[in-house]
Amino acid sequence: MTEDVLISTEGRSGRLSLNRPKAIHALNLAMCQAMIDALLKWRDDDAIEAVIIDHSEGRGFCAGGDIRMLADSGAKDGKEARQFFHTEYRLNHLLFTYPKPIVAFMDGITMGGGVGISQPAKYRVATEHTRFAMPETGIGLFPDVGGGWYLPRLEGRVGVFLALTGARLDGAESLALGLATHYLPSEKLDDAKARIAAHPDRIGGILGELSVTAPPAAITQHIDKINRLFASDTYEEILAALEADGGEWATKELGVLHSKSPQTCKVALRLLKEGGEMHDFAAQMTQEYAIGSRVVQMHDFIEGVRALIIDKDNSPKWDPAKPEAVTEDWIDAIFAPLPDDEKWTPLN
């Protein structure tokens, strides 16, 4: 049992509280395994009718995975990184297929791995503290943990925009886009959790009663521009469209994209295109695991973590540095299925 996740039962609900405040509740291997073990136990326990996922103190729900460990592993043999991804993706898939309702309280920073454990939940609660993003293009990874499934199913081209730019959404925007199902003021969360624990058969009603009208969602005024300028599945065409537009918003987003890993942006575009056509979440995770097992050992991820986390100079030197240098063959190799004995598999 790890103290990095507090596992308890309250009333007729199980509760998983992420508890690594200094790391903004980033997931490590032990946390993923502990959550899996608890969820499997509760799945067959008739006394548990719902599951709550939240965090202990601090400003984050879950800031992602332990990327420094992943980069250290990738620089060696990648074995530890692959073990983490394999377990984390099993957790994501278990949540996605779970037979009991799950309520995720995204009260704070919800990024990367935090998206992976909140999006499968039937009820996803945003607050005034929510900061939702898939920022992987900035560290040379890719929008994983099911990002290739969830993002292409958002309105229009919003998912592509979020995957490429790593844009941060507030709680109101998360609600407007359907990434959250309810918007509650943070001071009502304790009440919500207590009532859900006592009446897990009434989750929708309880959250509905405690919900308030969210502030205006800023992103909605840019949806038309996003749909028009991010319409292509070819990265160079998106850059050209933003450049040709020349407006203030397009120029700002073009600048954002110029700071991102071209390799990751091309991986993200293909991932969302193929993910949008998939019919099975397990197949999505199998593909993401093949990608992850490779990119974690590639230059851009190790360099991205160096620039963002280790040296903190925020000046990654991507290689290839230009989008046109990231060829179709390069991306094909990243997406190639793994041999049968190395593939990701869901829990039995």
Side-chain angles (χ1 to χ4, degrees):
M1 186 64 67
T2 173
E3 286 303 304
D4 290 343
V5 185
L6 305 176
I7 298 169
S8 59
T9 55
E10 296 167 20
R12 288 145 54 198
S13 297
R15 185 165 170 179
L16 301 170
S17 286
L18 307 181
N19 188 40
R20 284 185 78 205
K22 286 184 179 150
I24 322 181
H25 309 293
L27 299 171
N28 57 33
L29 180 64
M31 292 166 76
C32 294
Q33 192 59 57
M35 292 168 79
I36 287 171
D37 293 345
L39 288 163
L40 291 177
K41 190 173 130 198
W42 292 336
R43 188 173 65 180
D44 304 320
D45 184 348
D46 292 340
I48 300 296
E49 295 174 36
V51 175
I52 291 168
I53 304 178
D54 64 359
H55 69 279
S56 65
E57 78 219 66
R59 62 197 175 90
F61 164 67
C62 174
D66 193 343
I67 58 170
R68 185 156 191 171
M69 176 279 290
L70 294 173
D72 288 345
S73 171
K76 295 190 303 242
D77 56 9
K79 189 175 170 189
E80 204 180 339
R82 288 192 294 275
Q83 185 185 12
F84 173 75
F85 283 141
H86 200 280
T87 305
E88 183 186 25
Y89 294 2
R90 280 186 159 182
L91 171 62
N92 300 146
H93 181 263
L94 176 59
L95 291 165
F96 190 91
T97 56
Y98 207 64
K100 300 179 181 185
I102 297 169
V103 193
F105 288 91
M106 308 186 299
D107 179 38
I109 295 167
T110 304
M111 295 185 185
V115 174
I117 58 171
S118 58
Q119 283 307 295
K122 181 176 181 181
Y123 303 98
R124 304 178 298 280
V125 180
T127 72
E128 74 276 13
H129 298 141
T130 300
R131 294 293 176 271
F132 183 105
M134 291 296 278
E136 288 79 10
T137 52
I139 54 165
L141 195 56
F142 73 107
D144 67 331
V145 293
W149 178 277
Y150 303 116
L151 294 175
R153 285 164 176 77
L154 298 177
E155 174 184 345
R157 298 294 285 180
V158 166
V160 169
F161 169 73
L162 295 177
L164 292 178
T165 64
R168 296 185 178 198
L169 305 174
D170 62 23
E173 292 172 310
S174 301
L175 181 73
L177 296 177
L179 294 159
T181 59
H182 295 80
Y183 185 90
L184 270 65
S186 54
E187 68 263 19
K188 289 192 179 176
L189 296 187
D190 287 346
D191 187 20
K193 292 169 194 176
R195 287 166 67 176
I196 288 167
H199 300 285
D201 52 324
R202 288 198 52 244
I203 298 171
I206 291 164
L207 293 176
E209 282 170 36
L210 295 172
S211 289
V212 295
T213 303
I219 194 170
T220 54
Q221 60 192 336
H222 302 303
I223 298 283
D224 290 347
K225 287 196 279 275
I226 288 169
N227 289 343
R228 180 168 51 86
L229 299 172
F230 286 79
S232 178
D233 288 318
T234 303
Y235 188 46
E236 289 86 343
E237 289 177 5
I238 291 174
L239 295 172
L242 290 165
E243 194 154 358
D245 179 278
E248 187 183 345
W249 185 86
T251 302
K252 176 169 91 56
E253 298 306 333
L254 183 64
V256 169
L257 291 183
H258 282 321
S259 72
K260 307 298 185 186
S261 158
Q263 170 187 291
T264 306
C265 289
K266 290 203 171 185
V267 167
L269 275 171
R270 176 145 162 196
L271 181 74
L272 268 61
K273 183 174 188 295
E274 294 187 3
E277 296 161 1
M278 286 208 185
H279 301 291
D280 177 44
F281 190 69
Q284 178 68 40
M285 301 317 293
T286 302
Q287 184 187 63
E288 291 190 10
Y289 180 73
I291 298 166
S293 67
R294 294 189 177 104
V295 299
V296 79
Q297 289 196 264
M298 295 176 80
H299 168 274
D300 273 14
F301 177 58
I302 293 163
E303 169 64 6
V305 174
R306 178 208 65 75
L308 194 80
I309 304 290
I310 298 169
D311 296 340
K312 294 186 167 64
D313 59 21
N314 292 318
S315 300
K317 305 284 183 285
W318 306 122
D319 185 17
K322 300 278 183 215
E324 51 274 17
V326 184
T327 63
E328 284 294 309
D329 288 349
W330 183 288
I331 299 299
D332 285 346
I334 291 173
F335 274 75
L338 289 170
D340 282 347
D341 61 341
E342 293 176 29
K343 280 183 176 168
W344 178 85
T345 53
L347 292 155
N348 293 329

